[in-house]
């Protein structure tokens, strides 16, 4: 039987180059050898207050982007988390197998609490349990995500093991799958922080839908390290990050790039990097714009079909779990 992948992204605004390199590009490669479930995790997005119109728009936009990047293989199921109620049901069940201390340790939770002091809701805390439910419901073998999610996958494995130990083999233990390069793309205006949508300024990230002028401006403005050498290294976080992006998108190794720009300043390097990013993102942007001309049509065909296919599999697992627990 073909192995299975599950991954998800929150519909909370423009996706950026970090999402693309850390997650989406991996999905693209894997879609041909795995049965894939790609989720739009709208319930996760609700841990931060959302405007309903914006949320719906962002759901459409993310579905369009999944298509636009090229997730179009037959065995790819794209669906919205809230369409499959088994996710929240299983999340409740799993929460009774999760210890407070385990959730208190989660780095993303600690960061989010700092960011959202006025809305430190219970959902922020139990967020990883819902994520575990997303994964375990589909008996996923592999979860391709950026490095920031590794801790959540480890928790998911713990919960699965805990359940299996008591009730027998119900859940598949999922593996974390990281991009070989670029699992953590850093912010352009502060290379000590990961590139993020919730960044305070737009200079920190490149959105997949940014136009060429904006991309070039952002790269030109990206901070650099002291010294003028184009070389990767521990004491050169900014240039290392730019070289990583360049390398992943161009297919040239970092060593080759260092060689290529030996003795040259940042100017030429940045212009070339800007061009590489623009060329990589252009087909995505144009496919995205075309799909967004008729989002209703997209939702009906893509998400309705995806939800039906996801429900079938989710129900099998949930039925098994409920039977084991004695509630069915
Ligand atoms: P999010 O935008 O937080 O919903 O993340 C969606 C996916 O992109 C997850 O797999 C993240 O791990 C990945 N991701 C987010 N930010 C980065 C980044 N700066 N570098 C690499 N991967 C990232
Ligand atoms: N927590 C992930 C993030 O913030 C999104 C997510 C939710 C996810 N459920 C998932 C990722 C299941 C992989 C698998 O990026």
């Amino acid at each position: 039987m073909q192995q299975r992948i599950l991954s998800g992204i929150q519909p909370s605004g423009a996706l950026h180059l970090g999402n693309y390199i850390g997650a989406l590009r991996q999905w693209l490669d894997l879609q041909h050898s795995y049965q894939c479930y790609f989720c739009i995790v709208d319930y996760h997005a609700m841990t931060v207050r959302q405007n309903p119109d914006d949320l719906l728009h962002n759901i459409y936009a993310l579905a369009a982007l999944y298509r636009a990047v090229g997730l179009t293989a037959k065995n790819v199921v794209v669906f919205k988390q809230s369409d499959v109620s088994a996710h929240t049901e299983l999340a409740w069940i799993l929460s009774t197998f999760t210890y407070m201390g385990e959730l208190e340790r989660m780095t993303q939770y600690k960061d989010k609490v700092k960011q959202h002091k006025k809305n430190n809701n219970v959902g922020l805390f139990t967020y990883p349990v819902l994520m575990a439910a997303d994964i375990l419901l589909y008996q996923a073998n592999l979860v391709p995500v950026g490095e920031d999610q590794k801790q959540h996958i480890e928790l998911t494995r713990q919960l699965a093991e805990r359940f299996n130990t008591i009730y027998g083999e119900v859940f598949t233990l999922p593996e974390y799958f990281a991009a070989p390069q670029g699992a953590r793309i850093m912010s352009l205006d502060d290379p000590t922080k990961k590139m993020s949508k919730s960044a305070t300024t737009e200079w920190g990230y490149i959105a997949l839908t940014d136009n060429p002028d904006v991309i070039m401006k952002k790269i030109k403005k990206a901070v650099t390290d002291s010294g003028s050498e184009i070389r990767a290294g521990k004491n050169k976080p900014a240039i290392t990050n730019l070289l990583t992006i360049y390398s992943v998108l161009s297919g040239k190794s970092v060593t080759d790039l260092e060689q290529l720009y030996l003795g040259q300043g940042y100017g030429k390097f940045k212009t070339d990097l800007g061009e590489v990013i623009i060329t990589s993102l252009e087909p995505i942007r144009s496919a995205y714009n075309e799909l967004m001309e008729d989002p209703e049509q997209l939702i009906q065909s893509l998400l309705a079909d995806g939800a039906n296919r996801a429900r079938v599999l989710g129900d099998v697992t949930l039925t098994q779990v409920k039977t084991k627990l004695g509630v069915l």
Side-chain angles (χ1 to χ4, degrees), residues 6-10 41 44 81 108 127 131 134-135 143 145 148-149 152-153:
L6 180 127
S7 197
I9 297 183
Q10 297 185 50
V41 292
H44 276 113
Q81 188 183 34
Q108 185 169 312
Y127 179 110
M131 177 163 165
D134 298 339
I135 296 167
V143 187
V145 280
D148 59 335
Q149 297 302 312
H152 291 162
I153 312 290

Side-chain angles (χ1 to χ4, degrees), residues 2 30-37 73-77 309:
Q2 208 174 28
L30 296 165
Q31 68 176 328
H32 303 292
S33 28
Y34 288 83
Q35 193 183 356
C36 300
Y37 288 80
K74 256 211 168 76
N75 50 323
V76 168
V77 178
R309 289 164 75 186

Side-chain angles (χ1 to χ4, degrees), residues 177-190:
F177 180 92
Q181 207 187 355
R184 190 175 171 83
I185 297 294
M186 308 311 281
S187 170
L188 299 179
D189 59 357
D190 180 355

